Amino acid sequence: MDLATRLGRNVARCRKRAKLSQEELADLSALHRTEIGLVERGDRIPRVDTLVKLAGALGVPVEELLEGIAWRPSNDGVGGFTLLPAEPDDR
């Protein structure tokens, strides 16, 4: 699983928990429905402003959309993302 896929699954999990369709989430977040689908499938990594809109529309903190995603710094200046194990309902 990569960063975009994990983020998309987090958005989809929160949306389903809120009992919203992709279209309803799009309306609440002032985004296009296709944007929601692209994010949930992991085909697009949203910008910060889009993350804030999604979190606000879902009534969750931005951190919940980033759950399981961490940055691993390194001394050589490269670093990388670390994906923590998925929750059982996130697989």
Side-chain angles (χ1 to χ4, degrees):
M1 180 180 315
D2 65 0
L3 170 72
T5 301
R6 172 57 65 85
L7 180 63
R9 286 184 180 185
N10 289 347
V11 171
R13 183 184 69 244
C14 290
R15 177 182 60 78
K16 290 172 185 174
R17 188 176 59 218
K19 297 183 170 128
L20 296 172
S21 68
Q22 287 184 347
E23 189 165 331
E24 289 169 325
L25 178 55
D27 288 342
L28 290 171
S29 58
L31 298 169
H32 196 278
R33 183 193 51 78
T34 57
E35 177 78 9
I36 304 299
L38 289 168
V39 169
E40 287 190 2
R41 286 192 307 276
D43 291 336
R44 179 171 296 165
I45 296 176
R47 296 179 345 181
V48 172
D49 60 322
T50 300
L51 276 178
V52 172
K53 287 178 179 183
L54 289 169
L58 291 165
V60 300
V62 172
E63 294 83 3
E64 191 162 341
L65 300 181
L66 299 174
E67 189 173 296
I69 301 169
W71 176 257
R72 176 184 34 83
S74 69
N75 292 331
D76 63 7
V78 178
F81 285 101
T82 300
L83 300 178
L84 306 174
E87 296 296 321
D89 66 341
D90 191 29
R91 295 185 185 154

